[in-house]
Amino acid sequence: MKKILYSLLFFFLIGNVNAQQTPADKQTSAISIEGATAHLGNGEVIENSLIMFNDGKITFVGSAMLKIARQGTIINAKGKHIYPGFIAANATLGLVEIDAVKASDDEDEIGLLNPHIRSLIAYNAESKIVESMRPNGVLMAQITPRGGLVSGTSSIVQLDAWNWEDAALKVDDAIHMNWPGSFTRGRWWLGEDPALKADPKYSENVESIKSYFANAKTYLAGNIEKTHLPYKAMKGLFDGSQKLFIHVNGEKEITDAVTTAKEAGIDNIVILGGEGAESVADLLVKHNVAVVLNRPHRNPNSEDDAYDYTYTIAKKLTDKGILVSIGMEGAMERMNTRNLPFYAGTFAAHGLDKEEALKLITSNTAKILGIDDMAGTLEVGKDATLFISDGDALDMRGNILSKAYIQGRDISLETHQTELWKRYSEKYKSK
């Protein structure tokens, strides 16, 4: 009875709030933005730039000093900045609306081994949390499942759509696995010692993963008479069409994860979390393994880490030649995803070059997610997914958007939060 009442309450609340704004119409005429400082997303910067796009694609990127005819509507952006749309990796946007309401939580599926579960079909394009990303320049995201040993598949979406079909940029890009830790703590509520100690079952857990990979590979190589959905879903890992994203921290764990995947014949590997990755950088470079770091605004996991470890690790890995991005996993991750540019700004404030930091949420992320042919940089032929900011978009003081476009569509920057801000600004202004 309680479940029924809670479900009715949830739908009552949902029915009495405004839905997301209507997605923008397709671009019908060319647009030329001139005079702004263009941050191309690949490390290059063009002062006094000219960016033109039509039919959703960028048609020109260069200096405004060139004598070239402007196309369509001309936007004077002198003194402002242009960026490619930011991309949030390893996010659960659209999978959970209200944490306390189970009916709106669809990030975690029952069971431990779910490579066949697809996060995309659970993605809610009308989520109020999703729309709150856009005013900070976060225009695309990798929607990722959580839970279990093998969580399921992620997909890449743009954040202004009617439904998940319209939102999809790349479908089922990767399968996500949560690697076991080699250390564990006792369950204090059962009287066990809560101190950190080696997990005696770690080797057994690793062997079970190896067996699962081997069984899946054998199934796919044989004469398939009976359908086994989980094994069938892993085909892309072995033929190279999908990546394996391994959520793992720790030097030993990362080494074991990469070695196990390689021995199983899986070549496209990405590490998520990555604490301790700097200690095994040579292994990651050798196997061309990218790292999606957790958000820097947190404490280090180990007591032996430097106080600023989470702020400096991006530079350490970048300097070693590893492709690095930023993921959103952690406490209040959906709401905090809007702070993606400021996480990159934190890495920039702790040693990483500002344009290199920008790459963590643009070109690097696009390469890791396999969408660099359409997004991640301001280049001719790519999607016109970009925005104009009054100042430095990696600094919350300068990240003030005046225009944003997704595939050339002039999208709304209004959200429930901006409406409340304007409402109460007027209230207190009158007093």
Side-chain angles (χ1 to χ4, degrees), residues 176-187:
H176 290 252
M177 165 176 282
N178 296 300
W179 194 264
S182 62
F183 287 85
T184 185
R185 294 184 185 275
R187 297 167 293 181

Side-chain angles (χ1 to χ4, degrees), residues 106-112 114 117 145-148 151:
D106 209 4
E107 66 175 346
D108 186 355
E109 191 57 67
I110 296 172
L112 292 176
N114 296 309
I117 297 299
R146 299 277 187 257
S151 305

Side-chain angles (χ1 to χ4, degrees), residues 363-384:
S363 59
N364 284 11
T365 308
K367 290 175 183 176
I368 292 171
L369 302 185
I371 57 170
D372 52 312
D373 60 333
M374 68 177 79
T377 56
L378 300 177
E379 292 184 61
V380 173
K382 290 193 177 183
D383 287 353

Side-chain angles (χ1 to χ4, degrees), residues 60 83 90 92 119 152 166 184 190 196 236 260 302 318 350 359 387 415:
F60 181 84
Y83 294 86
N90 188 26
T92 53
S119 63
D166 293 338
T184 185
L190 294 179
L196 190 67
T260 298
S302 173
T318 299
H350 288 79
K359 290 164 68 173
F387 64 87
T415 71

Side-chain angles (χ1 to χ4, degrees), residues 24 74 98 169 171 175 187 224 253 338 395 425:
I74 300 174
I98 303 172
L169 293 177
V171 175
I175 290 177
R187 297 167 293 181
I224 302 172
E253 289 86 343
R338 67 172 67 94
D395 187 326
S425 292

